[in-house]
Amino acid sequence: MKSTRCAAVVAAALAVLALVPASATAAPAVPAGFAPASTSWTGPEHGFVLGYTDCGEPGWCPVLLATTDGGAHWRRLGAPPMSLPDNHNHVRLVAASTEHLYVTDGSRILATRDGGRHWFTVLVAGGGQRYVSALAETGGRIFAVVTSNSYGNTTSVYSGPAGGPVLAPLPGFEVTGGITYGDVATAGGVQIALGADYRTEEYWTSRDGVVFTPASPPCPSGTTASLGGVRAGQVIALCSSSPGSPQPGSSERRMWRAPRLGGPFSGTAYAPAVGITQGFGAATADTATVAAEGGGDGFLHHTTDGGHTWTTAVLSDRGVGLSDLAFVGDGVGVVVDGLPDAESGSAVYRTTDAGSTWVELSFS
């Protein structure tokens, strides 16, 4: 009697399982056709990748992935409602922590304080057409480099409390000219560099992101600064000439270093000029990499002796652009190659030896 009753229960359970459709199995974390657009990491093993899939109408749909094992496995997070721009602007992801993320397409800024479960808009005070070229959070504050062409080209720095809905201009942090640009770095202290027409360069440093001190700029006249942060007490920067100088598809560039924040910079030997500078990252005080694009190829120029000698490797022939080059500790660095909607596609490359070799991450 007892065994008969148990057999009936088992049979009923099997009948219920037979009714569950195959589609009830968990969907893969990485959807088919995923193409990365931007990556940002909070440590050697912890990283995020924002990408897109071609979902027909309305077009490219955003997908946000996270890893805690260096890209061996991925999980899917709530993606920001950020469309892939028709003008091919770089959609950039910035991870301040595992919970605090930002996304900008140059026109808008979206933020989350809970790891992608909810997203909100961060407004830049004022009006007119503007482009957000750099974004960072440190010490409980956000810093954005914003270029406006409402009344000529002006590049300014906007700031506000992390988690706040509005960024306001920092008084005095502004340059105006025919061509204006800027950069911000937060590793080892806050640095802000603004420039105009490859003639004017302004530079500030801060220990806490609140009190800033003007200092001599890292780059000489005729070049612009890409800030590499502070590594082992050394302040690292790359100084590049205007694109196409000394010849089309090239940029003259040198690595400059200072012994402390606000200290005097001195330059090293010239890096290879091939390709137009797309990014710069310092793994240590002596080891750094320049991302450059030219002639349909992506190049990585690499130094291990503080910029005195350089080697060059061809990353790929996608020929669209390199972005998000950064080093995040223990010799680990990342860079994005290409665009999601480009014919040649896109990929994320990772290094674990401070930039000597690079391997494409798999999202399958």
Side-chain angles (χ1 to χ4, degrees):
M1 206 58 186
K2 192 172 185 180
S3 61
T4 303
R5 189 178 300 112
C6 290
V9 171
V10 172
L14 291 174
V16 170
L17 289 175
L19 295 175
V20 178
S23 59
T25 59
V30 183
F34 175 80
S38 182
T39 190
S40 185
W41 294 60
T42 59
E45 301 297 315
H46 293 72
F48 302 85
V49 175
L50 175 67
Y52 290 83
T53 58
D54 187 352
C55 52
E57 294 295 335
W60 293 85
C61 295
V63 177
L64 181 60
L65 305 177
T67 181
T68 57
D69 55 12
H73 302 89
W74 298 94
R75 61 189 176 92
R76 193 163 175 175
L77 304 179
M82 182 75 74
S83 301
L84 193 63
D86 293 335
N87 60 5
H88 300 297
N89 274 357
H90 176 218
V91 179
R92 183 171 186 185
L93 172 69
V94 177
S97 70
T98 56
E99 297 290 310
H100 303 172
L101 310 175
Y102 299 88
V103 173
T104 180
D105 62 358
S107 300
R108 296 189 300 148
I109 301 173
L110 300 180
T112 178
R113 310 301 285 179
D114 56 12
R117 288 185 288 275
H118 303 90
W119 291 87
F120 61 93
T121 298
V122 179
L123 299 176
V124 177
Q129 184 177 355
R130 289 169 296 181
Y131 180 75
V132 180
S133 59
L135 188 65
E137 178 190 324
T138 185
R141 296 196 64 80
I142 312 169
F143 297 91
V145 177
V146 181
T147 297
S148 168
N149 58 9
S150 298
Y151 306 99
N153 287 317
T154 300
T155 295
S156 312
V157 178
Y158 287 70
S159 186
V166 180
L167 303 182
L170 285 180
F173 287 70
E174 179 179 288
V175 293
T176 301
I179 302 173
T180 59
Y181 37 82
D183 197 12
V184 58
T186 57
V190 183
Q191 301 175 71
I192 295 173
L194 301 177
D197 302 322
Y198 295 90
R199 293 195 304 267
T200 301
E201 190 89 13
E202 303 287 345
Y203 177 66
W204 301 263
T205 66
S206 174
R207 295 286 182 181
D208 58 8
V210 177
V211 178
F212 284 86
T213 302
S216 298
C219 294
S221 179
T223 59
T224 182
S226 299
L227 303 175
V230 181
R231 305 295 184 188
Q234 295 285 306
V235 187
I236 314 297
L238 182 77
C239 301
S240 301
S241 66
S242 59
S245 174
Q247 60 189 20
S250 69
S251 295
E252 288 187 337
R253 52 181 77 90
R254 296 172 69 184
M255 185 170 154
W256 288 67
R257 302 193 295 177
R260 62 187 183 281
L261 277 178
F265 282 84
S266 58
T268 57
Y270 279 97
V274 62
I276 294 172
T277 303
Q278 305 274 295
F280 174 67
T284 70
D286 294 317
T287 304
T289 300
V290 179
E293 192 78 33
D297 290 318
F299 301 96
L300 295 177
H301 307 300
H302 184 63
T303 181
T304 59
D305 58 8
H308 296 288
T309 61
W310 296 80
T311 59
T312 298
V314 178
L315 183 64
S316 82
D317 59 358
R318 284 186 175 88
V320 177
L322 302 175
S323 58
D324 298 345
L325 173 63
F327 289 90
V328 293
D330 294 341
V332 174
V334 290
V335 67
V336 176
D337 181 23
L339 294 171
D341 57 347
E343 184 178 352
S344 53
S346 60
V348 177
Y349 289 84
R350 183 173 183 262
T351 178
T352 57
D353 55 13
S356 294
T357 58
W358 297 79
V359 176
E360 183 177 342
L361 288 180
S362 172
F363 296 101
S364 59

